[in-house]
Structures are given as structure tokens and as C-alpha cells.
Amino acid sequence: MTFFKERLKNIKAFIFDVDGVLSYDTSPLDESGDPVRTANVKDGFAIRYALQNGFQMAIITGANTQRVKLRYKKLGVEHIYLNSFQKMECLDDFIVKTGVAKNEILYMGDDLVDFPIMKEVGIPTCPVDAVPEVKAISMYISDKKGGEGCVRDVIEQVMRSQQKWFGQEIKGIKAD
């Protein structure tokens, strides 16, 4: 059996859910009744840094808001799937477009809609406040809650395992 830390060395891509992972799982509502999502700046920095170091990245979410799309486009994420409740179709599309194998993907989700995709990827992960069913199939449970740095946690672990986390001078990278 391969240990979790050893498997991190094979990761070439990250896929993240939004609500409950990249943002809090509770949100105030705007005047039209839509959630106002949060964004953790340390997660944003880690996303940008991973992309600049050659990792592939996707966002797959049931959310259907242009603010989410704009946020992650600004960070450099090319593969953003909104209004997605059949996440396996998005995974298949991402694989075709990037050439990354399923076993080279780390996915972080927090709820039942993430369950099928998590069973297919190389490393399924979740924040500490994920639902029990998702925790049960996760290879790693971050000690951080959704929206509170869990994405930075897994990106940093992968990059450290591959000796890519701040091993060289950072040039031209902008903080979030």
C-alpha cells in the first residue's frame, strides 16, 4: 500500500468544489436570494502559485454565478464548470482537455454531490467540516474548514512533496 504522502508526488492536477470548500458552507443572501460567497485569499494565492508551477486546475460547482467564474478566471483557472450536478461529466471533459489521468488528480469536496467523483480520482480529500460520507472515502481530511484555507493546505502539501513550494525565487506573482 502506498502512503498518502507518497501519492502526493504523482499529482498533476487539482479539482475543487466551491461551496463548502473554496467558500464557507453558509452564506448571506443578496437582494435576489442568491448566496454571497466568500473567498479565502491564501487559497487564491496557492491556486495561482500551483498554476504558475505547471499544475492543471478545475473548479466544478453547482453554483451558477458569474462572480464565481470571474474570481477563478482572474486567478488563471481555465477549466470552470458552473451549474454542475453531474460532476463526472465535468471530470471526463477536464481529462480530455488536459490529458491528465484520473489517478493524477486530487479532488476536494465536502458534500454528497462530490461523492461519485471522489471515488474516481487519485486522491479524494475534504475539509474538516465535510459530511460524514465524504469523510469516510477521503484519503486526507484537512484540519481546516471550507473557506478557511483547506485548499491552500492540500496544494501546499502536494507542492512540498514535489519540492515545488517556494523552492525558487518568486517573480511576478501577485498576492490575491
Side-chain angles (χ1 to χ4, degrees), residues 14-17 57-63 78-100 102 105 107 113-114 116-117 120-121:
F14 298 96
I15 302 177
F16 299 108
D17 178 32
M57 187 89 53
I59 305 297
I60 303 177
T61 180
E78 293 179 33
H79 308 283
I80 301 171
Y81 302 89
L82 301 178
N83 202 26
S84 174
F85 296 98
Q86 299 299 321
K87 293 189 175 192
M88 287 302 298
E89 293 172 11
C90 301
L91 174 64
D92 293 340
D93 183 69
F94 176 74
I95 289 169
V96 167
K97 288 179 177 172
T98 63
V100 175
K102 285 181 183 179
I105 298 171
Y107 182 92
V113 71
D114 301 304
I117 197 171
E120 294 293 320
V121 298

XYZ file of all heavy atoms in Angstrom, residues 14-17 57-63 78-100 102 105 107 113-114 116-117 120-121:
348
model
N -5.476 19.605 -9.782
C -6.382 19.801 -8.652
C -7.762 20.141 -9.187
O -7.885 20.912 -10.145
C -5.928 20.993 -7.800
C -4.573 20.840 -7.187
C -3.462 21.390 -7.808
C -4.411 20.173 -5.987
C -2.206 21.277 -7.243
C -3.154 20.056 -5.411
C -2.047 20.611 -6.038
N -8.776 19.595 -8.540
C -10.159 19.986 -8.840
C -10.827 20.304 -7.505
O -10.717 19.531 -6.544
C -10.940 18.880 -9.574
C -10.238 18.502 -10.891
C -12.378 19.355 -9.844
C -10.912 17.359 -11.641
N -11.512 21.445 -7.476
C -12.156 21.879 -6.238
C -13.622 22.211 -6.466
O -13.996 22.792 -7.481
C -11.460 23.133 -5.685
C -10.021 22.903 -5.346
C -9.023 23.456 -6.135
C -9.660 22.132 -4.252
C -7.681 23.236 -5.831
C -8.328 21.908 -3.943
C -7.334 22.469 -4.732
N -14.425 21.865 -5.476
C -15.796 22.330 -5.359
C -15.721 23.761 -4.807
O -14.681 24.174 -4.298
C -16.547 21.404 -4.401
C -17.989 21.815 -4.170
O -18.611 22.362 -5.091
O -18.486 21.580 -3.049
N -5.782 22.770 -13.241
C -6.736 23.133 -12.192
C -8.132 23.228 -12.788
O -8.298 23.711 -13.912
C -6.351 24.501 -11.621
C -7.121 24.946 -10.423
S -6.422 24.425 -8.865
C -4.732 24.988 -8.925
N -9.121 22.784 -12.010
C -10.518 22.950 -12.411
C -11.357 23.274 -11.187
O -11.029 22.895 -10.069
C -11.059 21.689 -13.079
N -12.432 23.993 -11.448
C -13.462 24.285 -10.458
C -14.733 23.625 -10.991
O -15.129 23.866 -12.130
C -13.700 25.814 -10.316
C -12.399 26.560 -9.992
C -14.810 26.090 -9.316
C -11.747 26.200 -8.693
N -15.340 22.782 -10.165
C -16.609 22.158 -10.544
C -17.606 22.452 -9.432
O -17.408 22.035 -8.288
C -16.473 20.636 -10.740
C -15.393 20.309 -11.791
C -17.823 20.039 -11.150
C -15.155 18.815 -11.988
N -18.667 23.171 -9.776
C -19.619 23.617 -8.761
C -21.055 23.613 -9.270
O -21.294 23.816 -10.459
C -19.243 25.034 -8.271
O -20.186 25.461 -7.289
C -19.201 26.045 -9.405
N -21.951 23.414 -8.357
C -23.367 23.546 -8.675
C -23.797 24.995 -8.748
O -24.872 25.311 -9.246
N -22.943 25.880 -8.272
C -23.249 27.316 -8.328
C -23.337 27.763 -9.785
O -22.640 27.247 -10.651
C -22.175 28.115 -7.606
N -8.526 27.924 -16.012
C -9.168 27.847 -17.337
C -10.410 26.959 -17.343
O -11.319 27.172 -18.136
C -8.186 27.301 -18.364
C -7.014 28.209 -18.654
C -6.068 27.600 -19.655
O -6.527 26.862 -20.555
O -4.858 27.854 -19.536
N -10.427 25.954 -16.515
C -11.491 24.949 -16.547
C -12.453 25.191 -15.382
O -12.203 24.762 -14.258
C -10.886 23.548 -16.481
C -9.824 23.328 -17.505
N -10.109 23.089 -18.834
C -8.474 23.365 -17.404
C -8.976 22.960 -19.501
N -7.967 23.127 -18.653
N -13.531 25.904 -15.685
C -14.525 26.251 -14.669
C -15.873 25.720 -15.126
O -16.366 26.088 -16.194
C -14.589 27.779 -14.451
C -13.215 28.294 -14.012
C -15.666 28.125 -13.421
C -13.095 29.799 -13.965
N -16.436 24.842 -14.327
C -17.712 24.213 -14.653
C -18.753 24.685 -13.646
O -18.703 24.318 -12.480
C -17.577 22.690 -14.599
C -16.516 22.147 -15.525
C -15.196 22.003 -15.099
C -16.834 21.777 -16.826
C -14.221 21.497 -15.940
C -15.862 21.277 -17.679
C -14.550 21.137 -17.228
O -13.584 20.640 -18.074
N -19.678 25.513 -14.120
C -20.753 26.042 -13.276
C -22.015 25.215 -13.468
O -22.183 24.527 -14.475
C -21.046 27.497 -13.639
C -19.916 28.518 -13.515
C -20.392 29.885 -13.973
C -19.370 28.579 -12.111
N -22.938 25.339 -12.509
C -24.256 24.716 -12.604
C -24.138 23.206 -12.848
O -24.905 22.636 -13.611
C -25.084 25.396 -13.702
C -26.562 25.184 -13.509
O -27.038 24.983 -12.405
N -27.297 25.221 -14.608
N -23.159 22.599 -12.225
C -22.859 21.196 -12.470
C -23.320 20.324 -11.316
O -22.796 20.421 -10.207
C -21.358 21.018 -12.672
O -21.063 19.658 -12.764
N -24.258 19.456 -11.612
C -24.697 18.500 -10.613
C -24.343 17.080 -11.044
O -24.480 16.142 -10.290
C -26.189 18.661 -10.335
C -26.484 20.005 -9.743
C -26.947 21.046 -10.540
C -26.245 20.251 -8.400
C -27.175 22.302 -9.992
C -26.479 21.505 -7.846
C -26.945 22.526 -8.648
N -23.865 16.935 -12.288
C -23.326 15.675 -12.796
C -21.827 15.881 -12.945
O -21.307 16.074 -14.044
C -23.975 15.313 -14.131
C -25.470 15.119 -14.067
C -25.862 13.994 -13.126
O -25.212 12.959 -13.063
N -26.937 14.197 -12.369
N -21.135 15.855 -11.852
C -19.724 16.228 -11.837
C -18.840 15.255 -12.614
O -17.766 15.635 -13.070
C -19.241 16.410 -10.402
C -19.904 17.611 -9.738
C -19.289 17.932 -8.407
C -19.918 19.208 -7.847
N -19.184 19.723 -6.707
N -19.274 14.017 -12.798
C -18.479 13.049 -13.546
C -18.305 13.496 -14.998
O -17.242 13.300 -15.578
C -19.108 11.662 -13.486
C -18.949 10.991 -12.133
S -17.227 10.806 -11.611
C -16.618 9.759 -12.905
N -19.339 14.096 -15.576
C -19.231 14.607 -16.950
C -18.165 15.689 -17.030
O -17.401 15.758 -17.991
C -20.586 15.158 -17.418
C -21.644 14.101 -17.568
C -23.021 14.690 -17.835
O -23.149 15.907 -18.104
O -23.998 13.909 -17.770
N -18.096 16.538 -16.021
C -17.088 17.595 -15.973
C -15.693 16.993 -15.815
O -14.745 17.444 -16.466
C -17.377 18.563 -14.836
S -18.987 19.361 -14.955
N -15.570 15.979 -14.974
C -14.285 15.298 -14.807
C -13.822 14.722 -16.141
O -12.667 14.906 -16.537
C -14.398 14.184 -13.761
C -13.161 13.298 -13.597
C -11.977 14.098 -13.085
C -13.472 12.119 -12.687
N -14.710 14.045 -16.835
C -14.350 13.455 -18.132
C -13.919 14.520 -19.127
O -12.931 14.339 -19.849
C -15.526 12.644 -18.692
C -15.832 11.397 -17.864
O -14.945 10.947 -17.099
O -16.964 10.890 -17.978
N -14.617 15.648 -19.161
C -14.259 16.747 -20.056
C -12.881 17.308 -19.703
O -12.054 17.553 -20.582
C -15.321 17.850 -19.986
C -15.040 18.978 -20.958
O -15.164 18.751 -22.189
O -14.685 20.093 -20.498
N -12.633 17.492 -18.424
C -11.335 18.006 -17.949
C -10.200 17.072 -18.365
O -9.156 17.516 -18.838
C -11.386 18.174 -16.425
C -10.090 18.606 -15.801
C -9.641 19.916 -15.942
C -9.328 17.712 -15.060
C -8.446 20.323 -15.349
C -8.143 18.115 -14.462
C -7.700 19.424 -14.615
N -10.410 15.768 -18.216
C -9.391 14.788 -18.582
C -9.100 14.842 -20.075
O -7.941 14.823 -20.495
C -9.813 13.374 -18.124
C -9.710 13.300 -16.597
C -8.985 12.299 -18.797
C -10.347 12.063 -15.996
N -10.139 14.931 -20.883
C -9.956 15.021 -22.342
C -9.179 16.288 -22.700
O -8.247 16.253 -23.512
C -11.323 14.997 -23.073
C -11.186 15.401 -24.532
C -11.949 13.610 -22.957
N -9.528 17.404 -22.087
C -8.893 18.681 -22.425
C -7.459 18.801 -21.921
O -6.656 19.514 -22.522
C -9.731 19.841 -21.884
C -11.014 20.036 -22.650
C -11.850 21.156 -22.088
C -13.095 21.364 -22.933
N -14.015 22.319 -22.325
N -7.122 18.133 -20.827
C -5.790 18.301 -20.236
C -4.867 17.106 -20.430
O -3.647 17.248 -20.320
C -5.893 18.566 -18.718
O -6.485 17.430 -18.086
C -6.686 19.831 -18.445
N -5.430 15.938 -20.667
C -4.618 14.737 -20.792
C -4.138 14.176 -19.463
O -3.345 13.234 -19.427
N -4.629 14.714 -18.367
C -4.263 14.230 -17.038
C -5.072 12.966 -16.741
O -6.257 12.897 -17.038
C -4.552 15.315 -15.966
C -4.298 14.791 -14.573
C -3.717 16.550 -16.225
N -6.896 10.124 -14.263
C -7.678 10.216 -13.029
C -6.808 10.044 -11.790
O -6.998 10.726 -10.795
C -8.802 9.172 -13.007
C -9.964 9.499 -13.909
C -11.044 8.438 -13.803
C -12.181 8.733 -14.768
N -13.225 7.699 -14.700
N -5.056 13.164 -10.207
C -5.919 14.269 -9.781
C -6.197 14.189 -8.286
O -6.550 13.140 -7.761
C -7.261 14.262 -10.549
C -7.011 14.457 -12.050
C -8.219 15.320 -10.005
C -8.245 14.249 -12.909
N -8.873 15.769 -5.724
C -10.164 16.440 -5.688
C -10.529 16.736 -4.248
O -10.345 15.895 -3.370
C -11.248 15.554 -6.314
C -12.611 16.218 -6.346
C -12.997 16.947 -7.456
C -13.499 16.124 -5.281
C -14.240 17.570 -7.497
C -14.734 16.742 -5.311
C -15.102 17.467 -6.417
O -16.322 18.085 -6.456
N -22.905 15.389 -3.345
C -22.774 15.559 -4.788
C -21.327 15.316 -5.248
O -21.077 14.989 -6.402
C -23.298 16.957 -5.238
C -22.370 18.068 -4.791
C -23.543 17.000 -6.730
N -20.377 15.425 -4.342
C -18.965 15.198 -4.653
C -18.576 13.723 -4.568
O -17.518 13.327 -5.061
C -18.089 16.001 -3.690
C -18.361 17.484 -3.770
O -18.260 18.039 -4.875
O -18.691 18.087 -2.731
N -19.441 10.740 -6.004
C -19.066 9.919 -7.166
C -17.699 10.283 -7.760
O -16.911 9.398 -8.084
C -20.186 10.196 -8.183
C -21.340 10.661 -7.369
C -20.747 11.395 -6.200
N -17.425 11.558 -7.896
C -16.154 11.981 -8.482
C -14.988 11.640 -7.548
O -13.909 11.264 -7.996
C -16.190 13.488 -8.850
C -15.072 13.842 -9.812
C -16.131 14.371 -7.647
C -15.185 15.247 -10.383
N -13.431 8.293 -7.967
C -12.746 8.060 -9.238
C -11.332 8.630 -9.317
O -10.535 8.192 -10.132
C -13.569 8.658 -10.384
C -14.889 7.973 -10.606
C -14.730 6.550 -11.107
O -13.841 6.301 -11.943
O -15.496 5.686 -10.658
N -11.034 9.642 -8.516
C -9.745 10.333 -8.646
C -8.652 9.665 -7.810
O -8.935 8.826 -6.955
C -9.871 11.825 -8.253
C -10.847 12.547 -9.180
C -10.275 11.986 -6.792
